[in-house]
Amino acid sequence: MNIKILSRDANLYSTKRLIEAAKKRKHHVEVIDYLYCDLIIEKKHPSIFYKGRLLENVDAVIPRIGASHTYYGAAVIRQFEMMKVFSTLESQALTRSRDKLRSLQLLTKGNIGIPKTVFTNYSKHTDEIINNVGGAPVVIKLLEGTQGLGVVLAETHNAASSVIEAFNGLHARVILQEFIKEAKGADIRVFVVDGQVVGAMKRQGKEGEFRSNLHRGGVANLIQLTEEEENTAIKAAKILGLGISGVDLLQSERGPLIMEVNSSPGLEGIEQATKKDIAGSIIKFIERNIE
């Protein structure tokens, strides 16, 4: 097969591993910087030019779209879809998953547990907002934040009020979520491919840090999921329409709670923690759908 990886950097761990896995299974693979794709929109003849050449005979694409380029990345994926090319990430699923508020609304509609969440339009009623998520401590998140950036733990009611007012002053939209104390600064990343869990790890934040992201200095270890945790992750990926996803959940006294579902999850942490060939699972996912 002829596979294109939509990535801005061929040297990233995830991109390199996908290249290795595709070549190992005797496929032709090429990295395409999606920002350099020109989309030719024409009746019955949609096409894509990449750095001056026409992309032809493409069987599948693996999108690795950065958060800051969601709009154009989704447009490129949509163009491939119009060309009848299989994509491991559908354009609508990308835009749906990148909208944190919409994702949480869809998950709760599907009866998936999440930390209690409040979203307002720059409301001045900060006391009421904080109380609606159970009071301090409270987690405050920028809607556009990634990898733990734009996430604040306000330990006291006054601190939470100050942070909310500061973000409001900057016209930055935020959501407030209850702080799950029993999670103890840890979360679980579940990697789901084609409706199956292919790997899971528990991420623990460094001492004094409530965020468990590996980019923030957290550490990862292999974990055996409960049946409820596994089913919750699979259902969350299905609700958002994601063929490949990194589902982040917290262990709480009322069961697993979904924090976020990532549509372009990194491979480095999960492969190192589980010692599994996650990249290979992605290539097999493509083979099942093409064949």
Side-chain angles (χ1 to χ4, degrees):
M1 289 189 296
N2 182 10
I3 300 172
K4 307 296 186 187
I5 301 173
L6 306 182
S7 172
R8 298 229 59 212
D9 189 349
N11 293 314
L12 292 174
Y13 178 93
S14 298
T15 305
K16 289 194 294 183
R17 283 289 296 118
L18 289 167
I19 294 170
E20 292 171 3
K23 288 183 176 179
K24 185 177 181 180
R25 297 185 68 82
K26 311 301 182 184
H27 300 300
H28 178 269
V29 61
E30 179 186 12
V31 177
I32 297 291
D33 186 336
Y34 50 92
L35 293 188
Y36 290 92
C37 288
D38 297 323
L39 314 182
I40 312 303
I41 303 167
E42 181 183 8
K43 182 180 179 181
K44 295 184 179 181
H45 297 287
S47 57
I48 298 176
F49 276 81
Y50 177 64
K51 295 184 177 180
R53 63 182 172 90
L54 180 66
L55 294 182
E56 298 180 286
N57 303 316
V58 180
D59 296 303
V61 293
I62 306 174
R64 302 286 308 173
I65 308 299
S68 59
H69 302 298
T70 298
Y71 180 82
Y72 198 77
V76 173
I77 298 171
R78 194 178 306 117
Q79 189 78 354
F80 276 112
E81 292 169 344
M82 292 173 62
M83 294 162 56
K84 309 300 183 185
V85 174
F86 174 74
S87 175
T88 59
L89 172 61
E90 295 181 0
S91 56
Q92 285 190 347
L94 171 62
T95 55
R96 189 186 301 125
S97 65
R98 287 284 165 81
D99 186 332
K100 289 183 181 180
L101 181 62
R102 185 183 181 193
S103 296
L104 293 174
Q105 290 173 323
L106 290 171
L107 291 172
T108 54
K109 183 180 179 181
N111 202 31
I112 295 287
I114 66 168
K116 190 172 183 180
T117 302
V118 172
F119 174 68
T120 69
N121 189 40
Y122 309 125
S123 172
K124 302 298 183 183
H125 304 289
T126 55
D127 290 343
E128 181 181 329
I129 297 168
I130 296 165
N131 291 333
N132 279 335
V133 292
V138 61
V139 178
I140 304 172
K141 297 180 178 180
L142 281 174
L143 280 180
E144 293 79 19
T146 61
Q147 296 180 347
L149 296 172
V151 181
V152 177
L153 174 63
E155 299 275 7
T156 67
H157 189 100
N158 287 340
S161 294
S162 296
V163 172
I164 294 168
E165 291 169 0
F167 279 132
N168 283 349
L170 295 171
H171 298 286
R173 294 189 182 277
V174 298
I175 57 176
L176 275 70
Q177 288 187 324
E178 67 173 313
F179 177 61
I180 307 301
K181 184 178 180 180
E182 60 267 29
K184 298 178 181 178
D187 70 6
I188 296 174
R189 162 62 63 90
V190 185
F191 212 102
V192 181
V193 177
D194 198 19
Q196 299 292 323
V197 172
V198 296
M201 62 179 174
K202 187 170 187 176
R203 303 181 298 190
Q204 180 68 55
K206 63 183 180 180
E207 187 175 354
E209 174 61 76
F210 80 100
R211 296 170 296 181
S212 58
N213 305 72
L214 301 185
H215 292 84
R216 309 254 68 81
V219 295
N221 294 293
L222 184 66
I223 186 175
Q224 181 65 46
L225 297 176
T226 66
E227 183 177 352
E228 184 181 15
E229 289 166 349
E230 183 169 340
N231 290 339
T232 297
I234 292 171
K235 187 176 180 181
K238 183 177 181 180
I239 287 171
L240 296 183
L242 295 170
I244 299 170
S245 62
V247 182
D248 296 339
L249 58 86
L250 296 172
Q251 294 175 309
S252 80
E253 294 174 349
R254 60 182 189 269
L257 302 176
I258 298 292
M259 290 194 303
E260 187 175 6
V261 183
N262 194 316
S263 55
S264 294
L267 300 181
E268 186 171 8
I270 193 74
E271 287 197 333
Q272 290 181 355
T274 63
K275 309 303 180 186
K276 291 184 177 180
D277 180 12
I278 306 296
S281 296
I282 293 172
I283 302 303
K284 291 176 184 177
F285 167 43
I286 294 173
E287 292 171 345
R288 288 193 297 271
N289 280 272
I290 298 299
E291 295 171 358

